[in-house]
Amino acid sequence: MTAVLLISGSTRSASTNTAALRTVAAIAPEGVETFWYDGLSELPAFSPDDDGTGHPSVVALHEHMSRADAVLLCTPEYAGTLPGSFKNLLDWTVGAADLYEKPTAFINVAAQGRGEGAATTLTTVLGYVGAIVDPAICARLPVARDAVDADGLVTTPEFRTGALAALDLLVRQAARV
């Protein structure tokens, strides 16, 4: 069994990024366990003077990261880069080396011509924290809001096929590490 941690970089309730990861969880094949870190909006501002042990949301983040064999992220772009709350989450992983040598990938669901700032910044930050990121696994799979059904899942076959392929490659990478 390969455990894949799913983290959405969005705090929006009707986020296409979260819908994308819900869909990944729904289509994950046998032998792949997906689970969520959903404490993004509860994380305190990162401080290098704080080890996080007094914050339940930070403790949960570290526990989720340690349980994961691999991490799959999906984040929107705000003001040309990562949302501040998501960057804050990544900052909390630095001191604990949560992502160091951990297979990590992301799915970019932004419309064509959008999302590149977030993808570039995410690639830089993941490189800095020592995550194992294969650019061939990181998928650009645009999702329109009307492609998300009432259950919060992405309905387009193109997305589902691409997401399943990315998940499969990430799981294979985790098996090699």
Side-chain angles (χ1 to χ4, degrees), residues 18-29 72 107 109 139-144 147-169:
T18 303
L21 292 177
R22 275 191 203 112
T23 305
V24 168
I27 64 175
L72 184 61
I107 297 174
V109 299
R140 180 163 190 61
L141 302 167
V143 174
V148 179
D149 67 15
D151 292 332
L153 301 177
V154 180
T155 59
T156 60
E158 298 83 11
F159 175 82
R160 287 173 172 250
T161 299
L164 188 57
L167 179 62
D168 180 61
L169 289 170

Side-chain angles (χ1 to χ4, degrees), residues 42-96:
E42 287 90 40
L43 285 171
F46 173 74
S47 169
D49 294 329
D50 185 350
D51 67 3
T53 57
H55 306 286
S57 57
V58 177
V59 171
L61 174 63
H62 295 313
E63 288 172 352
H64 280 66
M65 289 282 185
S66 68
R67 178 178 161 213
D69 299 309
V71 179
L72 184 61
L73 310 166
C74 192
T75 187
E77 177 179 278
Y78 290 135
T81 191
L82 297 174
S85 56
F86 185 62
K87 175 62 168 68
N88 183 55
L89 178 147
L90 294 171
D91 288 346
W92 277 110
T93 71
V94 174

